[in-house]
Amino acid sequence: MHIATRRAVTAALFASTALSAAPVFAQEAADEAVDANEIVVTAQKRSESLQKVPISIQALGTQKLEELNISDFKGYAQQLPSVSFQSSGTPGNSVIYMRGVASGGDGNHSGSLPSVGVYFDEQPVTTIGGNLDVHIYDIARIESLSGPQGTLYGASSEAGTIRIITNKPDTSGFAGSVDGEINTVKSGDIGGKIEGMVNAPLSDRAALRVVGFYRRDGGYIDNIAGTRTFCGTTLYDAGGAANGCLRDGISMNNARFVEKNYNDTESYGARAALKVDLDDNWTVTPTVMYQNTKSNGSYGYDDSLGDLQVQHFFPEYRSDKFIQAALTIEGKIGNWDVTYAGAYLDRKTFSSSDYTDYAEAYDSLYESVGGLAYYFAYTDALGNTTNPAQLVIGSDHFKKLSQELRFSSPADKPLRMVAGAFFQRQSNDIFQDYQIPNLGPLMSVNGNPGTLWLTKQHRVDKDYALFGEVSYDIMENLTLTAGVRGFKYDNTLIGFFGFGRNPGNGYTDTPYNGAWSSRTGVAGCFTTTGDRLRNAIATGGALTFAPGAIPGTPCTNLGTWANGKVNPVQAKGDGATYRFNLNWKPTNSVMLYGTVSKGFRPGGINRRADVAPYAPDYLINFELGWKTTLAPGLRFNGAVYQQEWKDFQFSFLGANSFTEIHNGPDARIKGVEMDLTYNGGGLFFNVAGSYTDAKTLQNLCIIDDPTYACTGPGNMISAPKGIRLPITPKWKVSSTLRYTADMGSVKPYGQINVAYQSKAASDIRTAVYETFSGNVISPAANLGDLEQFATVNLAVGADIGKLNLEFFVANLFDERGQLSRFQQCGSCAQRGYVVPVTPRTFGLRAGIDF
């Protein structure tokens, strides 16, 4: 793999002659372009040439998305140097970061809201616990806005915003396309896709555009045969205390689940948009989008077993389906533009995950005191010790309602403004069922035999905002912009989490549950008097539970008691973000700008009562940038910035692998983004890259310490001052070289695309206490770094009239690039998983326009 990396880096140097970032590819659609090299964007809620927008923005247009064969999030993220992500590899499960604003571990369903906003057309589709991985086809462009976008885009645009803009219905004429592909992955399975689009005018004032697709990604990770053996016979010392164990206990194998090419994916969906011009000033565009993705197996391989191999012991699959209905109304009141954008998103996921690593880790961890067989009470209904291996059944039902109304003054006036109001309500019904087959009813969560731990909660996040930006042309070539957004957030969480409680003898019989826990779960539920069960037992109070706030739960322990009932735990606040920008155009082909902007992310709730709520975090950005057109078809753009990240939100698996969210120290992020693009005479060349230096300014403590000294009982430095933030590589570069020959109706072409990223840490923490043993361990060292890698993609083909034929090779040198690393639990350092770049893939593509 090191040889392949050197080859790929050499190819990258050959294909590129300068460092740059923010790749800006020419959008050649006639309804958007002023000339063949100009791309029009709507990043500032107006249609403007990208070269005239005074912010750092990266854009991929229709033609470049097709030429680079981009179909999903990983595809376009690779081409955007300011974007990084963390993932288990399963589609729709990535957490997106921009410009190094990443603390790691932010993707839990009860954790922080994302720091990067994602929009589909005018509507936000940002979701908790993983991005919405929209299939990319018939897309006008993807815009990536770097830095805080809090003024126009709100709470989850603290570090940046990604916008997916679709091609709109066109009344000028009928059009359509069909594209197909077949591919094969090295040492893996066969995949492919078929996509189609029809644009049909219904009258001179109405048109319908419909898109459909089916895609199958072949697997390439093998689930190989293996066994796990757990402690059986407990050894005792002369005093009768447990002192070790013999591994002569329960063994299990995975013969039923051994399979080659384990991680295949199937997805399909459709999109429809109707555009109706009510008159010369008003247009209504209702849209609907549906997508269903079914994934099997594991998308990370166990590097202790060998290349692209795992040993898992339970069924593994995930279904992710969503539907979004949206309505956009555009018109004029006088000479002001008015836009209403509303949408409703409904997303459901359902999954089964192997969690055997947890049992393996804790059995070894407790080996000195007899292992799980002694230390826990994993027994069946007859009291016999049962296999401690676990699987997790999970689901999330995510709903989002968003509405925005904004007004824009005429764009040709020296004084211009955009102002509006925004509201969104997003909810998530969270379900996580940690199962041990054959676990006895008294050891299980009450009413759920076989369930060791249950999480069933209802989360609601609400945002309200008023926003506005004013631009004034001080001189013909000097413009000042000032913007502000006032916001309020109101977030709530209610439900149940934890173990069951043996109801015998007034809930005093032991074992209390399979984990011998006397405090977590049912023990903390509210009774009809508002007391917690454990307190009622101790004081002789009422032992009758208040009704469960969430259907399917035995009772409620996550909430507050008031007015005779359980109410949600609440976190709310308000504040303002801002943006100031000064841009100067000394010539028509040169623009220089300076920006100061602020973004934020709301605070929220920790499920554990002994962990305080976490506060909002804020990002302040100082940026100098330039946009230049050096010659016809030749652009050189860039930005230099420094960002101050205040009290960053940091989530991690704490005691007993329980997620906690804290506010960490401040961090400072310095960086450069540049791009160089040439497009002319059949030759397209782009080289794009970023440099990101993101470091903490104070110590990160194991126990929150406002002085950052990390002293006191049980405290220590978990990450020292000056440590690099994780996930984001210091260097990220992408480059594309393409030549198209003009031979009349036949236009043959060749293309090389190279992407490189340097090494990055997977975790920020260099030291933590291991709960049971009291030893100090290093999560960052246990998890391992994301090693540097480079990939090379080749394509040759021809446009023959309206027909396109292409042969391509993705990941030419079969580089095992590491996109992410993860473990199944906080103490599961015995097995780490690597999410790789897809191995070398050969494919054929064909498409026709009609």
Side-chain angles (χ1 to χ4, degrees):
M1 288 193 291
H2 295 296
I3 294 174
T5 300
R6 288 197 294 270
R7 288 175 178 170
V9 172
T10 300
L13 294 174
F14 174 77
S16 57
T17 57
L19 169 68
S20 63
V24 181
F25 299 107
Q27 168 64 39
E28 298 170 6
D31 62 345
E32 293 185 351
V34 175
D35 60 47
N37 296 309
E38 186 173 20
I39 179 169
V40 174
V41 297
T42 52
Q44 297 191 121
K45 306 287 189 179
R46 297 178 183 270
S47 294
E48 302 169 284
S49 167
L50 183 141
Q51 290 300 97
K52 297 179 181 179
V53 179
I55 63 174
S56 182
I57 177 173
Q58 309 161 29
L60 300 169
T62 299
Q63 184 170 336
K64 295 309 158 188
L65 291 168
E66 293 175 355
E67 290 174 354
L68 295 171
N69 197 17
I70 291 173
S71 297
D72 57 12
F73 166 74
K74 287 194 296 184
Y76 64 78
Q78 186 180 41
Q79 304 299 322
L80 301 174
S82 294
V83 175
S84 56
F85 63 94
Q86 191 173 20
S87 175
S88 66
T90 307
N93 198 34
S94 299
V95 180
I96 309 171
Y97 308 111
M98 293 181 73
R99 281 190 172 178
V101 181
S103 60
D106 295 331
N108 187 272
H109 47 222
S110 295
S112 303
L113 287 163
S115 63
V116 174
V118 180
Y119 275 66
F120 189 77
D121 286 326
E122 292 287 341
Q123 293 81 16
V125 292
T126 316
T127 57
I128 304 163
N131 69 309
L132 205 67
D133 199 346
V134 177
H135 182 78
I136 304 302
Y137 182 72
D138 193 42
I139 297 298
R141 63 189 178 275
I142 295 175
E143 300 177 4
S144 178
L145 286 57
S146 299
Q149 305 297 323
T151 303
L152 294 180
Y153 293 98
S156 284
S157 291
E158 177 183 38
T161 300
I162 293 174
R163 305 179 71 227
I164 303 170
I165 310 298
T166 61
N167 287 314
K168 301 302 187 289
D170 184 1
T171 59
S172 65
F174 180 87
S177 62
V178 176
D179 295 272
E181 175 186 317
I182 186 168
N183 59 61
T184 180
V185 182
K186 180 189 175 185
S187 302
D189 207 352
I190 294 174
K193 61 185 177 183
I194 185 166
E195 305 158 310
M197 177 277 293
V198 171
N199 181 89
L202 304 178
S203 71
D204 61 348
R205 288 188 175 272
L208 176 68
R209 196 177 190 101
V210 178
V211 174
F213 77 93
Y214 170 82
R215 175 179 172 183
R216 184 183 188 276
D217 295 334
Y220 48 84
I221 292 176
D222 300 335
N223 192 22
I224 64 173
T227 60
R228 299 287 183 269
T229 301
F230 302 99
C231 285
T233 302
T234 303
L235 302 178
Y236 298 91
D237 60 21
N243 187 25
C245 73
L246 295 177
R247 291 194 174 274
D248 59 351
I250 296 171
S251 291
M252 64 183 301
N253 65 63
N254 64 346
R256 286 196 302 146
F257 305 107
V258 170
E259 182 181 347
K260 289 183 66 64
N261 308 326
Y262 188 48
N263 61 320
D264 61 285
T265 303
E266 181 182 62
S267 60
Y268 52 88
R271 185 175 78 240
L274 175 66
K275 178 184 178 183
V276 180
D277 295 327
L278 301 178
D279 56 28
D280 292 340
N281 291 324
W282 289 89
T283 298
V284 176
T285 308
T287 64
V288 63
M289 172 178 59
Y290 171 81
Q291 184 170 313
N292 192 350
T293 301
K294 299 178 180 180
S295 309
N296 295 301
S298 171
Y299 289 75
Y301 68 91
D302 182 347
D303 53 3
S304 70
L305 297 175
D307 188 32
L308 302 177
Q309 294 181 332
V310 295
Q311 283 181 347
H312 285 177
F313 295 79
F314 287 105
E316 293 188 291
Y317 53 83
R318 186 173 189 262
S319 169
D320 181 355
K321 61 182 178 181
F322 60 83
I323 186 168
Q324 185 202 46
L327 176 65
T328 302
I329 302 174
E330 299 168 287
K332 285 184 176 294
I333 297 179
N335 60 355
W336 283 59
D337 294 325
V338 180
T339 302
Y340 167 80
Y344 180 76
L345 172 68
D346 191 302
R347 182 186 188 187
K348 296 179 181 178
T349 68
F350 184 80
S351 63
S352 173
S353 306
D354 182 275
Y355 204 50
T356 303
D357 288 2
Y358 177 90
E360 180 187 37
Y362 277 82
D363 195 54
S364 295
L365 189 64
Y366 298 139
E367 184 172 359
S368 64
V369 290
L372 289 176
Y374 176 84
Y375 201 79
F376 286 82
Y378 293 171
T379 57
D380 61 19
L382 299 178
N384 301 313
T385 299
T386 189
N387 185 343
Q390 296 181 37
L391 76 156
V392 185
I393 302 297
S395 70
D396 287 278
H397 188 182
F398 185 91
K399 301 176 184 178
K400 179 192 286 278
L401 172 67
S402 64
Q403 298 190 79
E404 179 174 292
L405 178 65
R406 67 174 183 270
F407 302 86
S408 303
S409 66
D412 58 352
K413 303 297 183 182
L415 179 64
R416 303 172 297 280
M417 71 172 296
V418 176
F422 174 82
F423 166 76
Q424 74 173 3
R425 182 187 189 275
Q426 46 191 338
S427 66
N428 191 11
D429 291 320
I430 304 162
F431 172 67
Q432 295 283 298
D433 185 354
Y434 292 75
Q435 298 181 357
I436 296 180
N438 300 318
L439 186 68
L442 297 181
M443 301 301 99
S444 304
V445 173
N446 304 52
N448 295 266
T451 295
L452 177 67
W453 174 287
L454 178 67
T455 297
K456 202 166 176 56
Q457 300 164 353
H458 181 64
R459 172 176 180 165
V460 176
D461 296 271
K462 291 186 286 188
D463 298 286
Y464 310 82
L466 295 174
F467 63 89
E469 282 197 350
V470 177
S471 296
Y472 178 65
D473 296 333
I474 300 172
M475 296 189 296
E476 186 176 344
N477 62 349
L478 183 65
T479 301
L480 175 66
T481 298
V484 66
R485 187 183 189 99
F487 64 83
K488 292 182 66 175
Y489 67 88
D490 186 354
N491 303 335
T492 61
L493 190 63
I494 191 170
F496 175 85
F497 68 96
F499 302 108
R501 179 80 177 204
N502 188 331
N505 289 317
Y507 295 96
T508 62
D509 275 3
T510 58
Y512 300 120
N513 44 59
W516 274 94
S517 173
S518 62
R519 298 190 61 79
T520 304
V522 172
C525 280
F526 289 100
T527 67
T528 52
T529 63
D531 203 4
R532 303 262 186 183
L533 177 64
R534 56 176 171 264
N535 297 327
I537 294 172
T539 60
L543 302 181
T544 304
F545 293 122
I550 305 299
T553 58
C555 47
T556 302
N557 60 5
L558 177 57
T560 59
W561 184 267
N563 301 319
K565 65 176 183 177
V566 184
N567 300 287
V569 182
Q570 186 176 41
K572 60 181 180 178
D574 55 56
T577 59
Y578 55 78
R579 183 173 83 100
F580 299 99
N581 178 277
L582 183 67
N583 72 84
W584 176 48
K585 300 175 183 176
T587 70
N588 288 334
S589 59
V590 175
M591 180 177 69
L592 307 175
Y593 70 86
T595 295
V596 179
S597 55
K598 181 181 181 181
F600 90 105
R601 181 167 46 165
I605 302 146
N606 274 295
R607 292 180 291 172
R608 288 179 55 157
D610 58 343
V611 180
Y614 55 94
D617 59 5
Y618 296 89
L619 186 72
I620 302 174
N621 174 57
F622 304 90
E623 180 176 328
L624 296 174
W626 63 93
K627 295 192 174 182
T628 63
T629 302
L630 304 178
L634 179 62
R635 292 194 301 269
F636 177 51
N637 298 343
V640 179
Y641 64 86
Q642 178 172 302
Q643 299 183 140
E644 306 292 332
W645 194 10
K646 303 293 186 180
D647 301 322
F648 66 74
Q649 293 174 13
F650 170 61
S651 62
F652 61 93
L653 295 177
N656 303 118
S657 293
F658 200 93
T659 299
E660 300 179 17
I661 305 97
H662 295 251
N663 288 97
D666 296 345
R668 176 170 294 155
I669 305 166
K670 301 176 182 179
V672 181
E673 301 166 337
M674 291 185 287
D675 79 79
L676 178 69
T677 301
Y678 175 75
N679 190 6
L683 177 66
F684 175 84
F685 173 73
N686 169 261
V687 58
S690 64
Y691 169 79
T692 308
D693 182 18
K695 295 180 180 179
T696 59
L697 295 180
Q698 297 96 15
N699 296 325
L700 174 65
C701 305
I702 284 183
I703 299 174
D704 293 343
D705 181 352
T707 70
Y708 305 108
C710 306
T711 57
N715 210 352
M716 65 178 294
I717 296 174
S718 184
K721 173 184 176 181
I723 196 169
R724 283 185 57 82
L725 296 177
I727 312 302
T728 303
K730 183 178 288 188
W731 298 94
K732 188 178 180 186
V733 182
S734 66
S735 181
T736 302
L737 177 65
R738 181 185 179 97
Y739 181 74
T740 303
D742 190 350
M743 300 172 62
S745 62
V746 178
K747 294 180 172 59
Y749 61 84
Q751 175 177 283
I752 179 172
N753 173 257
V754 181
Y756 166 79
Q757 63 184 57
S758 62
K759 181 178 181 179
S762 293
D763 197 300
I764 193 174
R765 296 169 297 162
T766 59
V768 298
Y769 286 118
E770 203 292 312
T771 308
F772 178 76
S773 67
N775 296 327
V776 176
I777 61 174
S778 172
N782 287 339
L783 195 54
D785 289 335
L786 298 168
E787 297 297 333
Q788 67 169 353
F789 71 91
T791 57
V792 178
N793 307 316
L794 298 178
V796 293
D799 293 317
I800 308 169
K802 294 187 176 182
L803 175 67
N804 171 262
L805 298 173
E806 180 180 286
F807 168 76
F808 68 89
V809 184
N811 194 4
L812 176 65
F813 298 114
D814 196 32
E815 178 72 3
R816 202 65 73 239
Q818 299 180 7
L819 298 176
S820 191
R821 299 181 71 101
F822 67 92
Q823 296 167 348
Q824 285 191 351
C825 72
S827 297
C828 293
Q830 83 282 9
R831 295 186 186 276
Y833 295 86
V834 176
V835 179
V837 174
T838 303
R840 181 169 55 236
T841 303
F842 292 95
L844 290 171
R845 300 172 63 200
I848 188 169
D849 297 329
F850 55 86

